[in-house]
Amino acid sequence: MVKEVIPVLTQRPRGTADLLPGEVEQWKRLEDIFRAVSRTYHYQEIRTPVFEHTELFARGVGETTDIVEKEMYTFEDRGNRSLTLRPEGTAGVVRAYVENKLYGLPDLAKLYYVGPMFRYEKPQKGRWRQFHQYGVEVLGSEAPEVDVEVIAFGAEFLTKLGLKDVQAEVNSVGCSECRPRHREAMVEKLRPVADRLCKDCQSRLDRNPLRIFDCKNESCQAILREVEAPTVLQCLCDACQSHFSAVTELLQEVGVRFVINDRLVRGLDYYTRTAWEFTVPGYSTVAGGGRYNGLVAQIGGPETPGVGFAGGIERALLVLQEQGAAVTERSPLTAYVAVADAQASQTATKLLQELRCAGISADRDYQGKGLKAQLKAADRVQAKYVLILGEEELKSGTVSVKDLATGEQVTVARNEIVSYLSDLQNSSGVVEHDQM
RNA sequence: GUGAGUAUGGCGAAGUGGUUAACGCACCGGAUUGUGGUUCCGGCAUUCGUGGGUUCGAUUCCCACUACUCACCCCA
């Protein structure tokens, strides 16, 4: 029979990834740390759907953002509803907040989430079509203390993760009053010299003038200096100005390492006032966040301020690895049952079951390997003990226990083997820590 | 969406217009009879992403497609 090869059956969709054993441990570690920090900051987990009505993102994230214009995974379901795989986490959380009337609760909603996000983009280093974010949102307060809490949360998490040289870059993008004013000022200064700007910046001038500050083109930077284009910070209204001052003061108070970056822009339309990114020098941004005071009302809820941040798991892990701080773990094996004689296979199966029921991790060979090969296999998985069952042991009702680290071998009665290993395990401090 | 590069066994990686496609790692087996990290010996791609074309002949040349990688835009 000719084997038919259908690539699609053995190829994952573009921009997706399989997390294989070995890598998954890293993810679990990150999630564990994130959850632990969430607990100490008193945030609660929320899980929202991975898809929402397309309109939510269009309205929430912003019609003119790249995400909405060209990156959404949008599809129609059988009821002709337009749905979209979530490209970010905030919109869904805010929707859930409104729909479930969490604003009726006596306290602020302090929420965290972890999960997959989707954006239709060309994959490249640290960028996927399905990627994963952890993030937090606080709804119901416009106090600068809350901005600071959220920034401190992020800084602490990234540090605990093991990332070195993490830095918070902080800016204020103003509010619905001062932002248009800044935009106008910039356009006014740059419009007359627009033809001298690079092609990208010419389109930025229409879409998001602030981004011109980000241009890597030196000539564009020169033009900015020449026309004395104002930064947002210079255009802040009094209220935004005092909010920003409070945030930076408190950050210092709390001891969060940060720098003010008055050119920092964020990609989503909903940000107001404080906006920040966590960067690691030499690498890309690992997380970003900001305040979004208009978003809840924007999607139809009561006027409610919010702040939040989110980071990419793939990116954090990537930087961690490149900094050489990645840790590798393997699930430990206490007992490898080796069959020295085919006659003993049945007994081995029984022994294996007893060990496992007693909470001792145990495995064996199923491929008919010779004893030597079994020892080798046990060594390779770094088993603590090899339990040998052969003709002799069968006859005498015993099992030979070999300690692979020391090479010592003892004979133990078969009906005592479980308690024997349990005792060894307890006294040596080896703990089986697979949780249910 | 734009631009560039790559595509050889499980992994890494040579290679040539022409009968047998290096090598390393990994893996499997063996070095007399039931014992593991070393050493030695042996095994392991009728095949060089897919489909066409050029040619007497292509894994090596050309085209298309697909995938991957990197950069830009943008972002996590």
Side-chain angles (χ1 to χ4, degrees):
Chain A
M1 178 182 137
V2 178
K3 197 168 157 191
E4 194 184 359
V5 179
I6 307 174
V8 154
L9 294 184
T10 54
Q11 204 166 61
R12 61 178 186 262
R14 189 163 202 204
T16 62
D18 297 313
L19 295 183
L20 303 178
E23 208 174 350
V24 173
E25 283 69 28
Q26 308 260 53
W27 283 60
K28 278 164 69 178
R29 178 178 162 272
L30 182 148
E31 288 165 19
D32 287 347
I33 293 171
F34 182 67
R35 290 201 153 83
V37 176
S38 293
R39 190 183 63 74
T40 58
Y41 280 72
H42 198 216
Y43 283 59
Q44 291 183 291
E45 180 165 9
I46 182 169
R47 302 193 185 190
T48 64
V50 288
F51 57 84
E52 297 274 0
H53 293 291
T54 301
E55 195 58 18
L56 173 66
F57 300 119
R59 297 275 302 263
V61 176
E63 299 276 2
T64 61
T65 58
D66 269 35
I67 290 181
V68 171
E69 279 187 350
K70 56 181 205 191
E71 294 172 1
M72 293 208 297
Y73 267 99
T74 299
F75 61 97
E76 237 176 55
D77 72 3
R78 296 178 185 235
N80 299 318
R81 284 170 280 257
S82 179
L83 302 173
T84 295
L85 261 29
R86 62 181 184 196
E88 55 94 53
T90 304
V93 170
V94 168
R95 193 226 80 233
Y97 173 83
V98 175
E99 182 167 351
N100 297 287
K101 302 185 168 54
L102 300 186
Y103 47 78
L105 297 176
D107 294 319
L108 300 184
K110 304 211 314 183
L111 307 164
Y112 78 87
Y113 60 85
V114 184
M117 307 293 162
F118 306 83
R119 288 182 203 171
Y120 190 90
E121 292 186 275
K122 262 199 181 171
Q124 56 182 284
K125 194 176 191 183
R127 162 178 293 183
W128 304 84
R129 289 186 171 182
Q130 176 180 336
F131 61 104
H132 299 75
Q133 288 189 330
Y134 54 85
V136 311
E137 314 290 350
V138 181
L139 284 306
S141 169
E142 55 180 338
E145 285 83 356
V146 179
D147 302 46
V148 171
E149 174 176 299
V150 175
I151 295 171
F153 182 123
E156 181 170 344
F157 166 70
L158 293 170
T159 302
K160 284 212 161 121
L161 224 207
L163 289 178
K164 284 170 262 182
D165 310 320
V166 180
Q167 186 174 61
E169 295 186 25
V170 185
N171 192 22
S172 175
V173 295
C175 61
S176 57
E177 190 190 319
C178 40
R179 187 154 34 172
R181 215 168 58 203
H182 167 256
R183 188 194 170 102
E184 233 171 81
M186 261 195 102
V187 173
E188 190 186 319
K189 298 259 191 184
L190 288 167
R191 185 65 72 194
V193 294
D195 55 321
R196 286 164 51 207
L197 292 167
C198 72
K199 225 172 80 197
D200 284 336
C201 284
Q202 291 187 17
S203 91
R204 284 173 177 135
L205 190 55
D206 295 321
R207 299 161 48 92
N208 194 346
L210 189 46
R211 256 190 209 299
I212 298 174
F213 280 117
D214 260 351
C215 187
K216 294 168 183 93
N217 211 320
E218 180 46 40
S219 67
C220 292
Q221 294 300 324
I223 292 170
L224 284 173
R225 287 192 295 270
E226 175 190 322
V227 302
E228 295 176 321
T231 65
V232 224
L233 286 185
Q234 292 167 339
C235 297
L236 252 30
C237 65
D238 290 347
C240 287
Q241 179 57 57
S242 68
H243 184 90
F244 187 64
S245 304
V247 168
T248 53
E249 266 171 47
L250 285 166
L251 280 174
Q252 264 169 324
E253 204 63 45
V254 175
V256 172
R257 235 181 94 190
F258 75 100
V259 295
I260 292 173
N261 177 357
D262 62 9
R263 303 180 161 207
L264 183 89
V265 199
R266 304 248 59 225
L268 315 181
D269 280 357
Y270 53 62
Y271 286 112
T272 56
R273 292 194 172 165
T274 323
W276 71 91
E277 286 184 358
F278 289 102
T279 56
V280 179
Y283 301 95
S284 60
T285 300
V286 293
R291 176 165 278 287
Y292 44 87
N293 287 347
L295 183 56
V296 180
Q298 169 81 23
I299 69 157
E303 198 71 48
T304 310
V307 217
F309 90 97
I313 295 183
E314 287 85 351
R315 255 180 216 188
L317 260 21
L318 181 69
V319 176
L320 208 53
Q321 190 181 24
E322 290 186 350
Q323 287 187 336
V327 284
T328 49
E329 297 172 32
R330 66 191 312 164
S331 63
L333 182 67
T334 302
Y336 187 100
V337 179
V339 179
D341 186 293
Q343 303 282 322
S345 185
Q346 199 178 330
T347 309
T349 302
K350 212 176 134 197
L351 175 59
L352 200 59
Q353 192 61 22
E354 288 169 19
L355 291 164
R356 290 168 170 173
C357 286
I360 297 165
S361 62
D363 209 348
R364 61 165 291 186
D365 164 65
Y366 290 110
Q367 300 175 98
K369 282 191 167 96
L371 180 62
K372 190 173 187 159
Q374 292 180 66
L375 264 300
K376 199 172 173 183
D379 186 54
R380 194 159 42 219
V381 298
Q382 289 175 22
K384 189 98 176 68
Y385 305 103
V386 175
L387 311 190
I388 302 169
L389 278 173
E391 208 180 340
E392 294 168 24
E393 289 82 358
L394 235 42
K395 233 180 283 174
S396 57
T398 60
V399 36
S400 298
V401 180
K402 176 160 186 164
D403 184 321
L404 278 186
T406 64
E408 286 166 21
Q409 188 167 320
V410 296
T411 303
V412 179
R414 203 158 73 223
N415 55 14
E416 286 169 13
I417 185 67
V418 169
S419 61
Y420 174 81
L421 285 180
S422 297
D423 290 350
L424 278 178
Q425 206 164 269
N426 293 336
S427 62
S428 68
V430 173
V431 183
E432 304 264 344
H433 59 269
D434 280 1
Q435 59 274 70
M436 301 303 282

